[in-house]
């Protein structure tokens, strides 16, 4: 029902606090760094941080397009 109300959605976007959008993007980015550090800490070998971060981003993306989040699991298992 909310997606059908396009005019109401645009009205709400006009009232949005755009500074909070930037803050939420930064905090979202930090969660991926934390996940990369978590996997690096759990692995028995030393993993490069940037590659691990990229694997986290790829896993998150594939979770959005595959059913039941199976793609993210496959990316993480492969990494």
């Amino acid at each position: 029902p909310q997606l059908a109300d396009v005019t109401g959605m645009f009205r709400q976007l006009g009232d949005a606090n755009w500074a909070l959008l930037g803050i939420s993007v930064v905090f979202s980015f930090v969660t991926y760094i934390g996940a990369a550090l978590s996997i690096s800490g759990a692995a028995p070998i030393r993993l490069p941080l940037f590659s691990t971060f990229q694997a986290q981003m790829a896993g998150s993306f594939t979770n959005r397009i595959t059913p039941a989040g199976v793609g993210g699991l496959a990316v993480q298992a492969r990494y």
Side-chain angles (χ1 to χ4, degrees), residues 3-57:
L3 291 177
D5 184 21
V6 175
T7 57
M9 207 165 46
F10 283 123
R11 202 171 35 247
Q12 288 178 354
L13 282 175
D15 295 336
N17 186 350
W18 292 102
L20 292 178
L21 176 67
I23 292 170
S24 64
V25 167
V26 168
F27 283 138
S28 176
F29 183 76
V30 168
T31 62
Y32 290 111
I33 293 173
L37 289 172
S38 173
I39 293 218
S40 294
I45 60 173
R46 186 176 177 101
L47 298 173
L49 184 61
F50 187 68
S51 296
T52 309
F53 172 76
Q54 288 177 324
Q56 290 296 320
M57 293 292 287

